[in-house]
Amino acid sequence: MAVFDVRLKKLEHDIEHASNYDEFEAACLAHDALSGAQEWKAEDASDDYDYKLIRKRVQRLQLARGKGDIHALMSILHEGLHGNLGNIANPLLILHCKVGTKYLIEQFIDEVTLALEQIFHADEQQVDFYEKLSFFEETAHAFGRSCLMLSGGAGLGFFHAGVVKSLNEKNLLPTVVSGSSAGSIIAAMLGTRNHDQLLEALSAEFIYETFKHWRSFAGLGKKGLFDSSVLENALIELFDLTTFEEAFKKTGRHITVTVSPADLHQHSRLLNAKTSPNAIITQAVRASCAVPVIYSPVQLRAKTPAGDIVPYIPNRRFADGSLMADLPYERLARLYGVNHSIVSQTNPLAVPFISSNRIDPNSLWDMSARHLGQLAKTNSIFAIDIIERLTGNKEAKLAIHKVRSIIDQQYVGNINILPKRQIRNLSQVLSNPTRDSIEQLIVSGERASWPQLHVIKRNTKISEKLRYHLGQLKKREAVELGHVVK
């Protein structure tokens, strides 16, 4: 046993110091083989999920697929397919091994995707085109989809580049993406660049050359401490006058940039191809990055059908999106049918207090701690509401309102990717980046993503397959109706 302990320690060292994902994954699999986790994966039974339900569903799918019974497959999938059927997405299931999960769960996901393939390719004398289209529309809507949310974090935001780089290399990027403050820059890159273009744009060299002087002191007595023209010129170079609608047509990604109002009696806004198709991405990102005091608030711009640039929401200015909508999950759920979130979180106000594993408390101490935390949050908001009501000064009232918004937000998702908690992170928040600091943040983002890639693949495989086949059917329908040229 001591020999095995030494070998496990060696593998843990290899996992910690892997130079790329393939090395990381190989060391994790070797660790699982030695630690006994592989045997755990192979055993169906567990109190953490309903293995009997999943096993029965696998058997029914296999039987229907073997018979080529398309209507039976559609019925089985219709009757109860969702992302956490039988609690298969329970985060406790990933604590037993370094990568992967129960083989039964992986088999179930594979059986569902094979069933979807069989339905899509079914003979249309057996299942006609519009029956297929209806099935994929209804099932995709009911099943939902995942989103990627990139938080604010000022200079730490380049951590997101490493996260996105890892997801892009494995073709695991969700098509719904939001970004606030620094996260909006990376979200906008996702929305305006294809797979290969992202490989270049997410390199340390490219990011450094673009943003090496984005924090230039403007002097006292200005609307912001830093000169916003340097940042704005960098954003113009990246995104030009591209609108949200134009970006969506180019990449097919639904990107959202969040902005906060610079005055009272206004709510945060989500700018995207649905809510603001003609808004210009450059100005939206510039506004989302406008940290109060640091940068001046921004007048948004839009493009008319004739190509003219005009004010968007005249007489209003907007600032840092993370103040009121760092992770706008509920509104993304309404707009895009999102029911699962992947969060890359670098907000210095949030990171020290959250864990990458979002697990429900299962001990009296954990339950008490969570309850006390929620109680403290509720009491803080109540106290701030009282102070705001008693404050007469408009500027002070606005500042108090922003503080309330920061406290009242939810800063975690279903999957949370976080940088390591290090004191040096604070020094990078408001400093100009160096090539080395950007490289370190990108590598940090990649490494933090690696343990989650297997989880993300499992949690998004079915929804992406549904959306892909639905998209193929929609394209075919458009051709047959004469809406596009073949």
Side-chain angles (χ1 to χ4, degrees), residues 191-332:
T192 55
R193 286 162 170 76
N194 61 31
H195 179 278
D196 292 339
Q197 291 170 331
L198 278 174
L199 296 177
E200 177 191 355
L202 297 174
S203 69
E205 184 67 30
F206 181 87
I207 292 174
Y208 173 73
E209 290 301 324
T210 305
F211 293 108
K212 58 186 175 183
H213 299 307
W214 74 335
R215 288 175 174 83
S216 177
F217 188 60
L220 299 176
K222 306 290 185 179
K223 291 183 178 179
L225 291 178
F226 291 164
D227 181 1
S228 62
S229 64
V230 179
L231 173 60
E232 191 156 345
N233 288 337
L235 297 177
I236 290 171
E237 183 180 333
L238 283 175
F239 311 121
D240 197 21
L241 297 176
T242 305
T243 66
F244 284 94
E245 184 175 49
E246 290 168 346
F248 173 70
K249 288 179 178 178
K250 177 181 178 181
T251 66
R253 293 195 182 97
H254 302 277
I255 62 161
T256 290
V257 171
T258 64
V259 296
S260 302
D263 53 9
L264 283 169
H265 312 304
Q266 292 288 316
H267 298 286
S268 61
R269 290 182 180 267
L270 270 59
L271 305 173
N272 53 53
K274 287 196 175 203
T275 63
S276 47
N278 299 319
I280 293 173
I281 290 175
T282 293
Q283 292 302 108
V285 173
R286 164 68 183 86
S288 193
C289 291
V291 180
V293 181
I294 304 300
Y295 285 126
S296 58
V298 177
Q299 164 71 69
L300 299 175
R301 296 279 189 266
K303 188 190 296 184
T304 68
D308 298 324
I309 308 304
V310 298
Y312 184 76
I313 315 178
N315 304 320
R316 295 288 180 195
R317 292 185 177 274
F318 294 88
D320 190 349
S322 65
L323 289 177
M324 300 181 74
D326 199 40
L327 307 177
Y329 176 76
E330 291 184 1
R331 282 186 280 177
L332 290 178

Side-chain angles (χ1 to χ4, degrees), residues 109-248:
I109 293 170
D110 289 342
E111 282 296 330
V112 170
T113 55
L114 288 171
L116 293 174
E117 286 283 347
Q118 196 162 344
I119 294 167
F120 178 76
H121 293 291
D123 188 333
E124 291 185 3
Q125 290 187 343
Q126 183 181 3
V127 181
D128 71 37
F129 171 78
Y130 282 101
E131 190 176 0
K132 285 184 188 179
L133 179 61
S134 176
F135 167 80
F136 278 98
E137 281 183 329
E138 292 169 4
T139 309
H141 177 74
F143 189 83
R145 67 204 304 188
S146 295
C147 67
L148 172 64
M149 297 189 287
L150 309 175
S151 76
L156 296 176
F158 297 123
F159 172 87
H160 299 316
V163 174
V164 169
K165 182 180 177 184
S166 288
L167 295 176
N168 186 51
E169 287 173 351
K170 296 297 180 182
N171 294 310
L172 292 175
L173 280 170
T175 53
V176 177
V177 182
S178 77
S180 63
S181 197
S184 70
I185 297 173
I186 307 301
M189 285 185 177
L190 275 170
T192 55
R193 286 162 170 76
N194 61 31
H195 179 278
D196 292 339
Q197 291 170 331
L198 278 174
L199 296 177
E200 177 191 355
L202 297 174
S203 69
E205 184 67 30
F206 181 87
I207 292 174
Y208 173 73
E209 290 301 324
T210 305
F211 293 108
K212 58 186 175 183
H213 299 307
W214 74 335
R215 288 175 174 83
S216 177
F217 188 60
L220 299 176
K222 306 290 185 179
K223 291 183 178 179
L225 291 178
F226 291 164
D227 181 1
S228 62
S229 64
V230 179
L231 173 60
E232 191 156 345
N233 288 337
L235 297 177
I236 290 171
E237 183 180 333
L238 283 175
F239 311 121
D240 197 21
L241 297 176
T242 305
T243 66
F244 284 94
E245 184 175 49
E246 290 168 346
F248 173 70

Side-chain angles (χ1 to χ4, degrees), residues 75 98-99 179 284 292 373 451:
S75 176
K98 293 295 184 182
V99 293

Side-chain angles (χ1 to χ4, degrees), residues 427-439:
S427 67
Q428 294 175 300
V429 171
L430 291 177
S431 61
N432 272 318
T434 65
R435 190 179 283 100
D436 286 344
S437 70
I438 292 174
E439 182 67 41

